[in-house]
Amino acid sequence: MNAGPVVTVLHDGVEPDAVSLRPVSQRATVRFADGAELADALPGAEALFVYDFQSTALRGAWHRADRLRWVHVGGTGVDAVMFDELIDSDVLVTNTRGLFDQPIAEYVLAQILAFAKDLPESLRLQQRHQWHHRESERVAGAAALVVGTGSIGRAIARLLRAAGMRVRGLGRTARTGDPDFGTVATDLHAELPGADYVICVAPLTPQTRQLFDANAFAAMKPHARFINVGRGESVVTDDLVAALRGGALAGAALDVVDPEPLPAGHPLWDLPNVVVTPHNSGDFIGWRSEIVAAFTDNFQRWITGQPLQNVVDKKLGYVPS
């Protein structure tokens, strides 16, 4: 058995490729566990790689973590592993910030273009073999509000600006002259009436949970579209459904929902002005090997005593910019 530290890898039933994990297995004892097995794989482990970054299993297994010093989350959001005992502990938490920035920005632009050019209706007409000429909207000059000014929000802002859109950000600290957002505001309800597209990319924190409720949707333009690539719990789902049905906003593209996965028969499936995708906006071909590479890079830093990358502020719930 390897004499190095014990590293536990939490997976979703599919283990990371052994070759990509070799830099870790050469210097540590690696244990693999799914959510049901995690409690038995934590005793003695000094590091935990949350490869299944949507798993909430750590909370239930926490009482078995007797030597844990570091948790690395394979995704950007860390809300699945945030609970009081971990927050109050000395355990360091890192994430894979940066890896999914550009793919998610591309997804957001794609959804905006699909709304503006009415691509879903074009597909429906094609399926019915109907030739129906109609006009579309311009993207250039439209106003976008990006709610969440971290690295993903910045990538979105840069891409939307490149498409000719007018972009503003909404974050914790107001400022002007920002290189990506121009202006960053702090009052959501004051910003919503000016936006044609509202993009939620905020991490899930007590401040952002149910941020988008009936009052928020009522503040939006009736022709505005809402795009959520952050967390489903940032939205009051029933209020969103009511707003879409009542014409308070024109459409929604939802890569994250609450509940998730979206149950069969839920009204969001069948609303004509809604696009639902299965939490895959950042999942480009090869992403799994990339998150392993990000972990092994941080492991090399950890094992040699160097500062780790992407250290999460556990009180805030994300990596500060």
Side-chain angles (χ1 to χ4, degrees):
M1 179 178 291
N2 195 306
V6 175
V7 175
T8 296
V9 178
L10 172 61
H11 61 80
D12 58 358
V14 179
E15 298 178 4
D17 176 67
V19 173
S20 60
L21 267 180
R22 186 170 295 159
V24 178
S25 59
Q26 288 176 336
R27 305 191 67 176
T29 298
V30 179
R31 298 175 182 166
F32 296 96
D34 62 19
E37 300 163 337
L38 182 60
D40 291 333
L42 276 182
E46 296 182 51
L48 171 66
F49 174 28
V50 186
Y51 180 62
D52 180 11
F53 52 82
Q54 295 188 47
S55 173
T56 59
L58 181 57
R59 182 193 298 265
W62 179 253
H63 65 286
R64 302 294 302 280
D66 54 357
R67 297 190 64 187
L68 197 60
R69 297 191 288 126
W70 171 41
V71 173
H72 180 85
V73 179
T76 303
V78 297
D79 50 281
V81 302
M82 283 292 121
F83 48 92
D84 289 344
E85 292 84 356
L86 174 57
I87 293 171
D88 294 337
S89 75
D90 294 329
V91 174
L92 198 67
V93 177
T94 58
N95 71 356
T96 316
R97 183 179 190 259
L99 178 61
F100 301 104
D101 295 2
Q102 191 63 23
I104 293 176
E106 292 169 0
Y107 172 96
V108 170
L109 179 58
Q111 293 292 2
I112 289 174
L113 289 169
F115 278 129
K117 305 309 173 185
D118 201 14
L119 297 184
E121 179 62 14
S122 294
L123 290 173
R124 286 190 287 266
L125 290 169
Q126 180 179 343
Q127 289 166 354
R128 297 197 294 265
H129 297 187
Q130 290 181 285
W131 185 279
H132 176 59
H133 182 272
R134 62 206 193 283
E135 298 174 341
S136 64
E137 304 168 18
R138 295 188 64 181
V139 168
L145 176 66
V146 180
V147 181
T149 55
S151 63
I152 298 176
R154 288 191 175 278
I156 292 170
R158 288 192 294 268
L159 197 55
L160 300 190
R161 282 185 179 276
M165 299 184 73
R166 297 179 289 116
V167 181
R168 291 170 68 91
L170 189 115
R172 295 176 68 246
T173 304
R175 55 191 179 275
T176 58
D178 186 277
D180 298 316
F181 299 103
T183 297
V184 176
T186 58
D187 186 340
L188 175 67
H189 287 240
E191 294 296 314
L192 288 174
D196 301 305
Y197 294 90
V198 177
I199 301 104
C200 178
V201 68
L204 185 63
T205 68
Q207 291 73 37
T208 62
R209 187 177 294 276
Q210 298 191 337
L211 180 66
F212 288 93
D213 58 9
N215 290 331
F217 294 124
M220 294 172 64
K221 296 178 180 180
H223 73 258
R225 278 77 171 225
F226 175 68
I227 300 172
N228 193 2
V229 289
R231 282 292 184 264
E233 294 89 341
S234 292
V235 177
V236 181
T237 304
D238 289 345
D239 291 356
L240 174 60
V241 171
L244 290 163
R245 284 174 167 169
L249 69 160
L254 308 171
D255 189 52
V256 290
V257 290
D258 182 27
E260 193 171 303
L262 192 66
H266 195 282
L268 285 174
W269 284 119
D270 296 315
L271 287 172
N273 51 350
V274 173
V275 176
V276 175
T277 56
H279 203 149
N280 67 344
S281 60
D283 296 351
F284 57 92
I285 295 170
W287 67 272
R288 286 182 178 271
S289 61
E290 291 290 334
I291 65 172
V292 175
F295 168 66
T296 58
D297 178 71
N298 241 2
F299 172 81
Q300 298 287 12
R301 295 170 180 270
W302 180 70
I303 201 74
T304 56
Q306 299 178 61
L308 298 184
Q309 292 184 323
N310 298 328
V311 176
V312 173
D313 183 321
K314 294 189 290 183
K315 297 296 184 182
L316 293 177
Y318 52 87
V319 178
S321 299

